[in-house]
């Protein structure tokens, strides 16, 4: 089975927070988003009422993939009303002209819905994708293609390596995350109790490869090729990607 080994880096983290994963080919951008959620402390949900917005920027093709329906509608409206926007630009006052140009340039970009587009072609052609999660906290990631392999036989992504505890939801961005860490790990800190209360409502687990892989198993979007895997009654006994951690069936 064809698969991609990716490095996912959280921009502006110091020390660097990263994850190295292998993903079967044929996955959508929504699957890539779900994978990132499961190898960090993000849940993909702001609340029970709805999820955070996210966006994959495909700069080389002047397009992006997003769950922001407003942006998708704006692009559709722009394409359907080109004459109107051209005339609007001509009539814009000089002091607002640059803003209007930038606004229209953004609407020109092709906006695609995550579950409708696969990441294979762009990843293989350009090797790098920028990802923005939560337009409020603005977490930005760099996703880099490290290797294309043909000997991965599991139908779901797998975490291979990583470092650093990922931020929890709604912490407020990178600066606030480091302030949170300081308070969380120091019992004498004046905000220590607040930090403890915060994690009762927002997931904050230390980096744990076993736990994250148990979550990734639920993201099956290809059929596992058991005839190519060393196993006993569907218990993996040997594989270059899979680490035998527990005696449970995979099927």
């Amino acid at each position: 089975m064809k698969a991609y080994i990716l490095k996912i880096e959280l921009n502006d983290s110091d020390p660097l927070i990263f994850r190295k994963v292998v993903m079967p080919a044929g996955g959508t951008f929504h699957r890539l988003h779900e994978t990132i959620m499961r190898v960090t402390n993000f849940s993909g949900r702001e609340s029970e009422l709805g999820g955070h917005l996210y966006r994959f920027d495909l700069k080389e093709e002047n397009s992006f993939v997003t769950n922001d329906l407003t942006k998708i509608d704006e692009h559709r409206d722009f394409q359907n009303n080109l004459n109107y926007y051209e005339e609007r630009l001509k009539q814009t006052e000089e002091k607002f002209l640059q803003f209007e140009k930038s606004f229209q340039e953004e609407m020109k970009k092709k906006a695609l819905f995550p579950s409708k587009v696969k990441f294979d072609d762009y990843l293989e052609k350009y090797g790098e994708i920028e990802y923005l999660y939560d337009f409020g906290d603005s977490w930005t990631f760099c996703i880099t293609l490290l290797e294309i392999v043909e000997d991965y036989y599991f139908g779901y992504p797998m975490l291979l390596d990583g470092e650093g505890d990922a931020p929890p939801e709604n912490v407020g961005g990178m600066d606030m995350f480091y302030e949170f860490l300081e308070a969380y790990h120091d019992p004498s800190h004046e905000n220590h109790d607040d930090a403890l209360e915060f994690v009762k409502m927002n997931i904050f687990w230390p980096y744990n490869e076993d736990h994250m892989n148990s979550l990734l198993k639920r993201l099956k979007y290809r059929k596992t090729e058991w005839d190519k895997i060393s196993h006993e009654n569907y218990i993996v006994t040997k594989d270059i990607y899979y680490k035998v951690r527990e005696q449970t069936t995979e099927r």
Side-chain angles (χ1 to χ4, degrees):
M1 187 187 300
K2 185 178 184 179
Y4 305 105
I5 297 179
L6 309 176
K7 188 173 184 181
I8 302 167
E9 299 173 282
L10 178 56
N11 294 338
D12 300 320
S13 57
D14 185 19
L16 180 67
I17 298 171
F18 79 91
R19 305 291 185 255
K20 183 179 177 182
V21 301
V22 55
M23 295 188 68
T28 63
F29 278 95
H30 179 62
R31 292 299 189 190
L32 181 53
H33 161 74
E34 289 185 312
T35 298
I36 296 171
M37 295 297 97
R38 282 159 175 75
V39 297
T40 59
N41 281 317
F42 299 137
S43 66
R45 294 180 301 141
E46 180 182 11
S47 68
E48 294 180 356
L49 300 178
H52 283 305
L53 298 176
Y54 63 87
R55 168 173 173 151
F56 294 93
D57 275 305
L58 313 182
K59 293 183 176 180
E60 298 296 335
E61 297 183 352
N62 199 36
S63 62
F64 59 93
V65 179
T66 184
N67 65 338
D68 186 349
L69 296 179
T70 299
K71 288 294 184 182
I72 293 174
D73 288 342
E74 284 179 354
H75 171 69
R76 186 181 296 117
D77 179 68
F78 182 82
Q79 292 298 113
N80 292 335
N81 299 280
L82 292 175
N83 291 337
Y84 163 76
Y85 282 104
E86 182 177 350
E87 187 62 29
R88 188 170 109 168
L89 190 63
K90 291 178 181 177
Q91 296 181 12
T92 300
E93 295 181 38
E94 183 66 31
K95 61 181 178 180
F96 299 120
L97 187 58
Q98 187 56 51
F99 174 83
E100 181 65 23
K101 286 181 178 179
S102 298
F103 177 68
Q104 292 198 23
E105 283 299 318
E106 180 69 11
M107 287 200 298
K108 282 181 185 178
K109 295 179 181 178
K110 190 173 183 179
L112 306 165
F113 196 68
S115 61
K116 303 294 185 181
V117 188
K118 295 183 178 181
F119 55 74
D120 301 49
D121 289 345
Y122 190 90
L123 199 58
E124 289 192 29
K125 190 172 182 179
Y126 301 109
E128 188 174 290
I129 299 171
E130 291 185 10
Y131 171 70
L132 168 64
Y133 174 70
D134 182 355
F135 294 179
D137 285 3
S138 296
W139 303 106
T140 61
F141 294 79
C142 181
I143 303 166
T144 305
L145 175 62
L146 299 180
E147 187 178 358
I148 301 174
V149 297
E150 301 285 348
D151 58 354
Y152 182 74
Y153 304 116
F154 297 93
Y156 51 84
M158 190 179 297
L159 177 64
L160 304 176
D161 193 15
E163 286 186 8
D165 300 340
E169 287 276 17
N170 303 315
V171 75
M174 190 62 72
D175 290 340
M176 294 297 292
F177 172 50
Y178 285 121
E179 290 183 19
F180 158 79
L181 285 179
E182 184 179 350
Y184 180 77
H185 291 296
D186 182 3
S188 66
H189 196 285
E190 60 179 351
N191 294 323
H192 180 68
D193 290 342
D194 291 339
L196 296 181
E197 285 297 316
F198 179 79
V199 299
K200 290 180 181 179
M201 299 179 290
N202 298 275
I203 296 170
F204 182 59
W205 289 322
Y207 174 75
N208 186 307
E209 192 172 318
D210 288 348
H211 173 70
M212 292 173 180
N213 272 315
S214 70
L215 298 177
L216 289 172
K217 287 177 186 177
R218 304 172 190 175
L219 295 183
K220 293 181 181 179
Y221 56 90
R222 295 285 299 273
K223 185 177 180 180
T224 296
E225 299 179 5
W226 285 107
D227 59 318
K228 306 249 182 85
I229 299 170
S230 297
H231 67 93
E232 294 181 5
N233 295 321
Y234 302 103
I235 298 175
V236 179
T237 56
K238 184 180 180 181
D239 185 81
I240 61 172
Y241 300 101
Y242 188 93
K243 295 180 181 178
V244 181
R245 304 179 183 88
E246 53 187 2
Q247 296 301 303
T248 56
T249 58
E250 296 291 321
R251 192 166 60 170

